[in-house]
């Protein structure tokens, strides 16, 4: 018994002398976005024409590009902004800017997304810049999408949050009703987006946004896309289908890179 007790006491003593385990580091959602954004900027090379995205995640990427330009680690970069807000940010950082008229082919675009499905299809536009984002990102050779893991969904619309559709202001209720009826079987509710003053949100292009809230999968996304775009009054929708070439996902366990 004495031997057994001695072994037990020795074991307990060793346990008490071992250093305490550090508590796990819990990263905020914004920190995860920054990690993904910085990883995406590693794809940027000097001399590139870049599509500069819009939103809280893309903002980190634009900041990082500006920082690398100031340090001289990137040179001869030309940015094509996807919104007035990003344009203002890029100017403040000293990033040279141009547009699609002068640079119809873009080397690389970096932007965030509101949802990403298993096939790397995206929902974008909850920040209100979907039309310009789609124009710029549709003209790029490579589109790197950056998200945190909360944006991963089983199907587009699966988060229960808005799937945006940009519409002309003229008779927007008529257009919203058409959209709602189009996805009636998916439990769709169409709502006009308002700003903080309760007035209709106006995009950089002078249009309104109708947000679609879906309870079920809308099925074939290409069929849904074509049906939306056939409605007179619709300018563009927020489904970005087969556009992302790489999706960088930041999560608690690290970075995951998904390629087409």
């Amino acid at each position: 018994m004495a031997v057994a007790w001695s072994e037990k006491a020795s074991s307990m003593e060793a346990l008490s002398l071992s250093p305490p385990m550090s508590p796990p580091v819990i990263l905020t959602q914004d920190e995860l976005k920054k990690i993904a954004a910085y990883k995406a900027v590693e794809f940027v090379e000097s001399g590139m024409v870049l599509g500069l995205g819009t939103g809280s995640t893309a903002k980190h990427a634009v900041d990082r590009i500006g920082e690398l330009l100031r340090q001289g680690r990137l040179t001869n970069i030309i940015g094509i902004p996807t919104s007035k807000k990003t344009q203002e940010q890029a100017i403040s950082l000293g990033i040279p800017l141009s547009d699609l008229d002068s640079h119809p082919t873009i080397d690389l675009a970096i932007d965030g997304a509101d949802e990403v499905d298993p096939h790397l299809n995206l929902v974008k536009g909850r920040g209100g810049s979907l039309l310009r984002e789609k124009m710029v990102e549709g003209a790029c050779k490579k589109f790197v999408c950056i998200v945190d893991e909360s944006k991963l969904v089983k199907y587009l619309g699966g988060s229960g949050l808005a799937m945006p559709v940009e519409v002309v202001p003229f008779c927007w209720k008529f257009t919203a009703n058409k959209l709602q009826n189009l996805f009636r079987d998916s439990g769709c509710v169409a709502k006009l987006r308002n700003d903080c003053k309760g007035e209709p949100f106006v995009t950089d292009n002078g249009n309104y946004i109708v947000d679609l809230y879906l309870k079920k999968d809308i099925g074939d996304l290409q069929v849904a896309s074509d049906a939306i775009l056939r409605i007179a009054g619709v300018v563009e929708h927020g489904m970005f289908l087969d556009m992302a070439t790489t999706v960088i996902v930041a999560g608690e366990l690290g970075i995951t890179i998904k390629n087409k």
Side-chain angles (χ1 to χ4, degrees):
M1 288 290 293
V3 173
W5 172 254
S6 173
E7 288 176 350
K8 184 177 180 182
S10 175
S11 174
M12 291 178 66
E13 182 181 9
L15 187 63
S16 67
L17 292 175
S18 62
M21 293 182 64
S22 300
V25 177
I26 306 299
L27 298 176
T28 66
Q29 188 179 36
D30 191 60
E31 287 170 334
L32 292 174
K33 290 177 180 180
K34 189 172 184 178
I35 290 169
Y38 275 44
K39 186 66 178 178
V41 175
E42 293 179 10
F43 287 85
V44 178
E45 299 175 3
S46 293
M48 279 187 167
V49 178
L50 298 176
L52 305 177
T54 297
S56 57
T57 308
K59 180 180 183 299
H60 290 304
V62 177
D63 282 340
R64 179 62 172 164
I65 291 166
E67 180 183 12
L68 294 175
L69 279 171
R70 286 195 306 275
Q71 294 172 353
R73 294 164 65 185
L74 282 178
T75 57
N76 300 320
I77 292 296
I78 296 175
I80 312 293
T82 54
S83 67
K84 292 179 180 178
K85 187 173 183 179
T86 298
Q87 180 179 4
E88 292 168 0
Q89 179 193 3
I91 290 171
S92 73
L93 294 169
I95 300 174
L97 298 180
S98 188
D99 57 32
L100 287 173
D101 290 336
S102 301
H103 297 277
T105 301
I106 297 171
D107 295 304
L108 170 69
I110 300 174
D111 205 353
D114 302 306
E115 292 183 359
V116 181
D117 78 4
H119 305 289
L120 306 191
N121 296 309
L122 317 173
V123 168
K124 292 176 50 57
R126 289 180 191 153
S129 303
L130 63 98
L131 176 58
R132 296 190 186 192
E133 288 172 337
K134 190 170 281 191
M135 290 177 68
V136 170
E137 287 146 20
C140 63
K141 298 175 185 175
K142 187 176 183 66
F143 172 24
V144 178
C145 178
I146 46 179
V147 295
D148 66 86
E149 59 189 354
S150 71
K151 303 300 192 299
L152 302 180
V153 295
K154 293 181 179 178
Y155 60 89
L156 294 193
S159 68
L161 301 176
M163 182 183 290
V165 180
E166 187 160 342
V167 304
V168 296
F170 176 73
C171 295
W172 67 264
K173 290 182 181 178
F174 171 83
T175 308
N177 286 334
K178 288 272 192 179
L179 288 165
Q180 184 165 298
N181 289 334
L182 185 62
F183 300 112
R184 181 174 57 249
D185 292 343
S186 297
C188 178
V189 175
K191 296 182 180 179
L192 181 71
R193 185 181 300 184
N194 290 324
D195 61 20
C196 58
K197 298 178 181 177
E199 298 295 324
F201 175 88
V202 179
T203 70
D204 286 346
N205 317 298
N207 296 316
Y208 289 174
I209 288 183
V210 172
D211 288 321
L212 307 183
Y213 296 89
L214 304 162
K215 293 182 179 178
K216 290 189 285 187
D217 190 342
I218 59 174
D220 188 311
L221 297 177
Q222 194 59 60
V223 171
S225 169
D226 293 344
I228 292 171
L229 295 174
R230 281 198 298 269
I231 296 175
V234 166
V235 178
E236 188 54 85
H237 59 71
M239 291 188 292
F240 285 50
L241 308 180
D242 296 318
M243 291 181 64
T245 53
T246 300
V247 174
I248 298 176
V249 184
E252 292 295 340
L253 300 179
I255 290 282
T256 302
I257 299 179
K258 302 173 183 284
N259 292 304
K260 271 289 188 188

